[in-house]
């Protein structure tokens, strides 16, 4: 189960161009695996140098040539980095095959596991396709330059007609035009750390929490919960338990099911009015 969580977390870091394993939410899950990313990892590689004030201002204004190259860790790598999510799926496949060989997993069930792993591979392929097909840099630079030139020239075009109103009108127009450019950049890569990006950290935490909940409980047995006295099988039509309804005829049960269908069709408001 830890490998499933590790796949989600590793995919998150890969989509954010973070290729190594020494991250707080990933290292404990994959340090025991023999992967290219682990072999290439060295102390200090994941440290981020502080940005200068001018660089922060340029990134805030959406100036394309002021933005950092998100793939710089890949370019600085001295060893092959591999593909951590794909390598984790390889370990998952190997685990399933070993359990099939041991007889712990039957072949029909193993096919479902392998299908799930294939689905995870498709998810990785789809997300990588999004992040690896950005708008060409030349287009981004040209669009940014055209917008800024238009915004700077706009007041001179409006002054003859609007006079002093040119100032607020130019501010509003500049805000709208520059916002369109920023929106395009935000949509281009939704997997980053910005406020408007997808909450990948939340998604990974939800997956981890749900798996922990599922593994914390023993597999339920039907004999434990079906005949339970609190099992109201025809709720809200009847509060009788399973043992009560099991003693009634099939015709009574069919009639009760029909009545419950009609009652639920009427909706909770009408049911309360009655």
């Amino acid at each position: 189960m830890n490998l499933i969580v590790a796949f989600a977390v590793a995919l998150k870091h890969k989509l954010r161009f973070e290729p190594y394993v020494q991250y707080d939410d990933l290292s404990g899950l994959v340090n025991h695996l023999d992967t290219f990313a682990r072999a290439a990892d060295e102390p200090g590689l994941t440290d981020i140098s502080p940005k200068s004030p001018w660089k922060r201002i340029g990134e805030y204004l959406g100036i394309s040539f002021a933005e950092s190259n998100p793939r710089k860790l890949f370019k600085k790598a001295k060893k092959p980095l591999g593909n951590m999510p794909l390598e984790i799926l390889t370990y998952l496949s190997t685990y399933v095959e070993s359990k099939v060989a041991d007889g712990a997993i039957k072949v029909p069930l193993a096919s479902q596991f392998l299908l799930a792993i294939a689905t995870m591979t498709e998810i990785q392929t789809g997300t990588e396709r999004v992040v690896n097909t950005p708008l060409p840099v030349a287009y981004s630079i040209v669009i940014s330059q055209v917008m800024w030139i238009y915004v700077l020239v706009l007041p001179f075009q409006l002054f003859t007609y609007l006079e002093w109103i040119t100032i607020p009108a130019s501010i509003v127009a500049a805000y709208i035009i520059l916002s369109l450019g920023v929106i395009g950049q935000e949509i281009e890569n939704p997997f980053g750390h910005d406020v408007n990006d997808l909450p990948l950290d939340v998604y990974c935490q939800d997956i981890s929490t749900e798996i922990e909940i599922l593994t914390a409980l023993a597999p339920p047995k039907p004999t434990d919960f079906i005949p339970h006295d609190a099992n109201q099988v025809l709720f809200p039509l009847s509060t009788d338990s399973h043992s009560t309804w099991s003693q009634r005829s099939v015709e009574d049960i069919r009639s009760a099911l029909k009545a419950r269908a009609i009652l639920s069709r009427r909706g909770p408001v009408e049911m309360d009015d009655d």
Side-chain angles (χ1 to χ4, degrees):
M1 291 297 183
N2 284 343
L3 289 180
I4 298 176
V5 179
F7 168 78
V9 177
L11 181 59
K12 176 192 71 174
H13 286 292
K14 182 172 178 57
L15 295 175
R16 291 176 173 177
F17 305 106
E18 299 167 350
Y20 297 104
V21 300
Q22 296 306 320
Y23 303 104
D24 294 338
D25 56 350
L26 181 62
S27 59
L29 298 171
V30 298
N31 272 338
H32 62 292
L33 304 180
D34 184 14
T35 60
F36 281 96
R38 179 189 172 191
D41 206 348
E42 296 178 2
L45 288 177
T46 58
D47 296 341
I48 301 176
S49 57
K51 298 179 182 179
S52 64
W54 295 109
K55 191 173 186 63
R56 289 198 298 267
I57 293 173
E59 291 181 352
Y60 179 78
L61 295 176
I63 301 176
S64 57
F65 53 81
E67 296 179 356
S68 301
N69 184 3
R71 294 175 172 81
K72 58 185 177 182
L73 291 178
F74 289 89
K75 293 185 176 181
K76 293 181 179 179
K78 299 178 181 179
K79 299 179 181 179
L81 296 175
N83 190 323
M84 175 61 73
L86 191 61
E87 293 179 71
I88 293 174
L89 292 180
T90 302
Y91 278 94
L92 277 172
S93 300
T94 304
Y95 175 77
V96 173
E97 292 175 0
S98 65
K99 291 302 177 181
V100 173
D102 296 341
I105 299 178
K106 304 299 181 182
V107 175
L109 184 60
S111 62
Q112 297 296 322
F113 282 109
L114 295 177
L115 180 60
I117 293 175
T119 302
M120 295 165 71
T121 306
E122 292 177 0
I123 292 172
Q124 178 183 350
T125 303
T127 52
E128 288 182 350
R129 185 182 299 113
V130 172
V131 77
N132 290 326
T133 52
L135 190 67
V137 178
Y139 283 98
S140 299
I141 294 176
V142 170
I143 292 173
S144 178
Q145 291 175 346
V146 169
M147 286 192 303
W148 277 104
I149 292 174
Y150 182 80
V151 167
L152 294 175
V153 175
L154 184 62
F156 300 98
Q157 298 174 336
L158 299 179
F159 181 76
T160 304
Y161 305 98
L162 301 180
E163 297 181 352
W164 65 270
I165 303 178
T166 301
I167 298 175
S170 299
I171 293 174
V172 173
Y175 177 80
I176 296 173
I177 294 171
L178 296 178
S179 296
L180 293 175
V182 174
I183 290 172
Q185 294 177 358
E186 290 292 334
I187 296 176
E188 185 178 5
N189 182 8
F191 305 116
H193 296 275
D194 296 337
V195 177
N196 296 325
D197 290 331
L198 295 174
L200 300 184
D201 295 319
V202 177
Y203 295 163
C204 293
Q205 184 60 45
D206 289 344
I207 293 173
S208 177
T209 302
E210 291 169 359
I211 289 179
E212 290 173 357
I213 292 173
L214 292 175
T215 55
L217 301 174
K221 297 180 180 179
T223 54
D224 294 335
F225 62 87
I226 291 180
H228 197 280
D229 292 337
N231 181 17
Q232 302 175 10
V233 292
L234 288 178
F235 181 84
L237 176 66
S238 172
T239 57
D240 293 338
S241 64
H242 173 271
S243 59
T244 302
W245 281 101
S246 62
Q247 298 175 1
R248 301 186 182 181
S249 64
V250 176
E251 291 75 11
D252 293 339
I253 295 175
R254 291 293 183 187
S255 299
L257 290 172
K258 183 177 179 180
R260 187 176 66 168
I262 296 174
L263 190 63
S264 61
R265 180 67 177 175
R266 296 170 59 187
V269 176
E270 296 183 10
M271 288 166 56
D272 293 340
D273 292 341
D274 292 344

